[in-house]
Amino acid sequence: MAAKVTLNIEEKTVIYNTNGYYMSTKNDIILRPRFKIELNESNTTILNRFEDLKSTQNSVVISRIDTHVFIKYQKKEQNFWSPQLHLEIDEVTTNSSLLHGLFGPNPTVWTLFMFLHFIIASLFIAFSIWAYTNWRLKTDFIVQISLMVFMIIIWFALYFAGRIGRDTSKKEMLQLRDVMNKVLKQKSLD
């Protein structure tokens, strides 16, 4: 069975397997690219390889919790948008596993980003209720409509800030992917 890979890094989804079949589709909305890889090895074998790499190199930080592996840059090399690669390697059968990957910023940055989205959405709803109330009372509601439009503009600004962050970290994402591929290709060496 050939390994099937689905990657979404450079604004397109690429699906390919070891037989060379691939398909790409445009996808501009994804801020945290995800992928899946079907592997013909047990998850413990692959997880042990990540543990071995953790002790033999120092270019990236590799940490493991159960079936989750986190690959990120050293603190001194990180900036605000530096990505990390989160891998979850699940056992399918005794000789096969499924790797789920997720590229994303530092979890603290992502939490802040989502919190800001939540605040903007909450303010938009509050201003819309206020505008509706003023409309029903037949009083002026132009200020509330203006604030609602302002919340939409801020939401778009946050989205484009996320896109800029993702685009500036593409090279780093590819480097993290190369570290993952190095571990996955060790099969032929074992």
Side-chain angles (χ1 to χ4, degrees), residues 30-120:
I30 305 279
L31 289 179
R32 295 189 335 160
R34 302 169 185 273
F35 60 93
K36 283 194 278 190
I37 303 175
E38 297 169 2
L39 301 166
N40 295 326
E41 294 180 90
S42 72
N43 67 336
T44 54
T45 304
I46 298 165
L47 290 167
N48 288 337
R49 277 199 229 131
F50 278 107
E51 286 288 333
D52 294 342
L53 183 64
K54 177 170 58 171
S55 61
T56 60
Q57 61 81 39
N58 60 3
S59 61
V60 294
V61 176
I62 299 174
S63 55
R64 176 183 166 200
I65 302 170
D66 295 329
T67 60
H68 297 266
V69 176
F70 300 90
I71 306 172
K72 56 187 170 184
Y73 285 95
Q74 301 281 346
K75 284 281 188 197
K76 62 184 177 197
E77 296 175 13
Q78 287 182 6
N79 60 43
F80 185 75
W81 292 111
S82 287
Q84 74 173 19
L85 177 56
H86 172 206
L87 305 172
E88 182 179 0
I89 306 167
D90 296 323
E91 185 175 4
V92 177
T93 64
T94 55
N95 292 328
S96 69
S97 56
L98 184 61
L99 182 145
H100 296 273
L102 171 67
F103 288 100
N106 181 317
T108 306
V109 171
W110 187 251
T111 303
L112 171 69
F113 199 67
M114 289 297 101
F115 177 73
L116 291 174
H117 277 278
F118 174 75
I119 293 296
I120 297 303

